[in-house]
Amino acid sequence: MSAPDLDFDQVYRESPYVPWVIGEPQPLLVELEAAGEIRGEVLDVGCGPGDNATFLASRGYHVTGVDGSRTAIDRARAKTDEVEFVVADATRLDGFEDRFDTVLDSALYHCLDDDEQRAYVAALHRACRPGATVHVFCQAEQLAGMPGPRVIPEDNLRATFTVAGGWRITRLERASYTTSMTEEILAQIHPEAVGRVPLDERGRFLMPVWQVAVEWVAL
């Protein structure tokens, strides 16, 4: 099943674990923040239960988190009142025009089909201020036949985030994205992957991703 086919509200309500929810901020985001690459008004788009947004708020940023799942937003709101959490369609972002200086997309882009991606990129341009930066983490490779979201080829990113779409790519490199899938979980859902995929020091599967940064430019 591809990510566009999923009912994410059902996933958050019923799944015993959600691969992209690790109970702490995504380490790639922590590295970005430590490097000074987060600034101004921040949007966490596809925020899920709010761990990344909560971390950024704790670091002093004014953060808005949006997600299409009401269950995820309810969980996020229960964690902190320092973030504005909103149920919203990421492909529209109605009501957020000309507002954000930094956007975090932590594993949302690869959940969208091609048409949704184009609408999403256009919505981001409307929601951001001139000079804003969008940071994207999206799946770059499928290892050992692992189930999961669609793999995003490099040419997809270059074709979607173009000057015509209102963006200039400033970073496009491979990175490792921490998931909640341990070897024990892999043994239950996809035993063929055990011993064949990279794990972090805590035994969590590291998904190969594109780490992308794009900068707002005038259309």
Side-chain angles (χ1 to χ4, degrees), residues 117-138:
Q117 286 172 351
R118 287 188 286 270
Y120 168 59
V121 167
L124 287 177
H125 199 267
R126 293 191 300 272
C128 286
R129 296 172 177 149
T133 299
V134 177
H135 296 284
V136 179
F137 309 135
C138 61

Side-chain angles (χ1 to χ4, degrees), residues 123-200:
L124 287 177
H125 199 267
R126 293 191 300 272
C128 286
R129 296 172 177 149
T133 299
V134 177
H135 296 284
V136 179
F137 309 135
C138 61
Q139 181 165 252
E141 183 181 356
Q142 189 177 40
L143 299 180
M146 288 280 290
R150 63 185 295 200
V151 171
I152 303 298
E154 181 177 349
D155 59 3
N156 168 286
L157 294 163
R158 294 193 180 278
T160 308
F161 288 102
T162 62
V163 173
W167 302 98
R168 178 174 65 90
I169 295 175
T170 59
R171 171 189 287 150
L172 180 55
E173 60 191 30
R174 296 290 288 268
S176 295
Y177 186 92
T178 304
T179 77
S180 63
M181 291 189 289
T182 63
E183 279 201 311
E184 290 76 16
I185 293 172
L186 288 175
Q188 297 174 33
I189 65 169
H190 194 67
E192 297 88 346
V194 174
R196 298 175 57 199
V197 297
L199 307 174
D200 71 2

Side-chain angles (χ1 to χ4, degrees), residues 46-64:
C47 66
D51 293 318
N52 290 326
T54 299
F55 164 73
L56 290 173
S58 76
R59 302 294 292 170
Y61 301 96
H62 188 275
V63 185
T64 300

Side-chain angles (χ1 to χ4, degrees), residues 24-26 29-30 33 38 42-67 72-73 76-77 79-86 104-106:
E24 62 186 78
Q26 175 60 223
L29 169 61
V30 176
E33 197 281 326
I38 309 296
V42 180
L43 172 65
D44 181 1
V45 61
C47 66
D51 293 318
N52 290 326
T54 299
F55 164 73
L56 290 173
S58 76
R59 302 294 292 170
Y61 301 96
H62 188 275
V63 185
T64 300
V66 303
D67 200 284
I73 290 295
R77 287 171 176 164
K79 291 178 180 175
T80 181
D81 58 5
E82 296 183 350
V83 176
E84 178 188 3
F85 288 111
V86 181
L104 172 67
D105 173 340
S106 181

Side-chain angles (χ1 to χ4, degrees), residues 9 48-49 69-80 85 87:
D9 203 57
S69 165
R70 182 167 295 279
T71 299
I73 290 295
D74 287 345
R75 292 182 185 176
R77 287 171 176 164
K79 291 178 180 175
T80 181
F85 288 111
V87 178

